[in-house]
């Protein structure tokens, strides 16, 4: 089986959650890093199904769209719940994480100077839903009693929010415990402390 190849920019961005999954699950993959200069030439963009990255090549399967990639990895590695009901709930969680990620990216790329303060002010009003969900989950995971792809995605998102505003989880004990718990999984910790993560800017425009 050909190894998995992930093509993305040299940023954490939408690539980090999938890297976390692959690292934590012991998946072998190679990184194909595309610099902005290379991307701006336009040749690669023309070959991308929707003109964007990330792209994941798994054998003869070529995937775009970060959430489709997360789901593909989840199906392969048992990160999609124990049955159809859990899978539906995991999808629901991931859709909500995506909603927040889109708000964050809009602020970062389109209105950082004018919108950062408002975003930080409104953040607790979005995070409180996940706090309430996790407060009721004895396993400490979003759904069921096993980690799912949505957990890796939420963990990645929350770490990025802490970079934006280090106090943002202070009033959310369950979210704080969740970040500590997932962040202390040995391979997650190793990855998050590795150059593969720490040396990359969080976003492509240098804002964080
Ligand atoms: N839905 C897709 C997914 O989930 O995979 C979004 C993929 C995507 O946005 N990819 C970006 C890309 O390839 C890199 S992530 N950009 C190059 C291009 O479009 O030519 N996206 C909206 C979103 O993620 O929902 C963004 O906000 C991205 N921003 C995040 S980087 C511009 C600038 O600096 O303003 N040069 C790039 C802005 C940009 O692409």
């Amino acid at each position: 089986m050909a190894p998995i190849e992930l093509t993305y920019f040299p940023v954490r961005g939408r690539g980090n959650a999938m890297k976390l999954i692959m690292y934590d699950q012991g998946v072998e993959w190679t990184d194909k890093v595309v610099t902005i200069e290379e991307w701006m030439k336009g040749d690669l963009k023309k070959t991308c199904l929707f003109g964007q990255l990330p792209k994941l090549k798994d054998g003869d399967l070529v995937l775009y769209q970060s959430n489709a990639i997360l789901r593909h990895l989840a199906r392969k590695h048992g990160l999609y719940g124990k049955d159809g009901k859990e899978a539906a709930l995991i999808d629901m969680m991931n859709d909500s994480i995506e909603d927040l990620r889109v708000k964050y990216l809009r602020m970062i790329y389109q209105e950082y100077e004018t919108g950062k303060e408002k975003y930080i002010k409104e953040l607790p009003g979005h995070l409180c839903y996940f706090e309430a969900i996790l407060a009721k989950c004895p396993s400490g995971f979003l759904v069921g009693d096993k980690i799912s792809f949505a957990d890796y995605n939420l963990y990645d998102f929350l770490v990025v929010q802490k970079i934006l505003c280090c106090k943002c989880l202070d009033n959310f004990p369950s979210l704080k415990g969740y970040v500590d718990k997932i962040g202390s999984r040995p391979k997650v910790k190793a990855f998050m402390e590795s150059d593969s993560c720490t040396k990359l800017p969080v976003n492509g425009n240098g804002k964080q």
Side-chain angles (χ1 to χ4, degrees):
M1 180 86 165
I4 290 186
E5 184 183 86
L6 172 65
T7 308
Y8 196 49
F9 302 106
V11 301
R12 286 201 208 182
R14 284 184 172 276
N16 207 57
M18 53 194 77
K19 289 180 188 170
L20 270 170
I21 290 180
M22 292 194 284
Y23 203 86
D24 198 38
Q25 297 296 319
V27 178
E28 277 185 35
W29 89 94
T30 52
D31 264 331
K32 202 167 163 191
V33 180
V34 179
T35 62
I36 288 297
E37 294 72 39
E38 253 173 280
W39 181 256
M40 292 311 281
K41 289 180 195 156
D43 297 337
L44 176 60
K45 186 175 174 80
K46 276 188 224 148
T47 71
C48 295
L49 200 59
F50 303 106
Q52 292 192 312
L53 298 173
K55 163 184 170 180
L56 188 100
K57 201 167 171 298
D58 183 0
D60 59 3
L61 175 69
V62 179
L63 277 179
Y64 298 91
Q65 290 294 352
S66 54
N67 289 292
I69 294 170
L70 294 179
R71 288 186 164 93
H72 170 68
L73 293 171
R75 282 185 207 99
K76 274 186 79 165
H77 300 287
L79 304 170
Y80 221 140
K82 69 173 184 321
D83 55 23
K85 192 173 153 192
E86 281 194 3
L89 293 171
I90 291 167
D91 276 341
M92 176 182 76
M93 296 298 172
N94 199 64
D95 282 5
S96 264
I97 300 161
E98 173 65 13
D99 285 352
L100 297 190
R101 199 180 280 279
V102 167
K103 281 188 215 300
Y104 168 78
L105 290 172
R106 193 178 305 131
M107 181 277 291
I108 288 287
Y109 283 96
Q110 296 172 22
E111 51 192 31
Y112 188 82
E113 277 73 24
T114 54
K116 180 181 166 184
E117 217 173 292
K118 181 171 177 277
Y119 177 91
I120 290 175
K121 210 169 149 207
E122 291 175 355
L123 188 56
H126 301 302
L127 295 182
C128 65
Y129 296 103
F130 285 103
E131 171 69 19
I133 290 163
L134 286 166
K136 287 191 207 127
C137 291
S139 68
F141 298 120
L142 285 168
V143 177
D145 50 19
K146 253 193 84 194
I147 195 163
S148 73
F149 75 96
D151 288 303
Y152 290 100
N153 200 13
L154 180 58
Y155 167 75
D156 174 62
F157 179 76
L158 292 174
V159 169
V160 168
Q161 301 314 291
K162 279 181 69 184
I163 294 172
L164 176 75
C165 169
C166 62
K167 292 182 172 34
C168 72
L169 301 186
D170 282 2
N171 294 323
F172 296 125
S174 300
L175 284 179
K176 237 175 147 183
Y178 177 80
V179 168
D180 291 346
K181 178 180 153 143
I182 296 189
S184 65
R185 290 168 74 90
K187 288 184 189 165
V188 168
K189 188 171 186 309
F191 176 74
M192 294 301 283
E193 290 173 356
S194 71
D195 287 359
S196 307
C197 182
T198 59
K199 289 263 194 287
L200 296 183
V202 180
N203 298 296
N205 60 359
K207 313 241 162 89
Q208 62 180 44

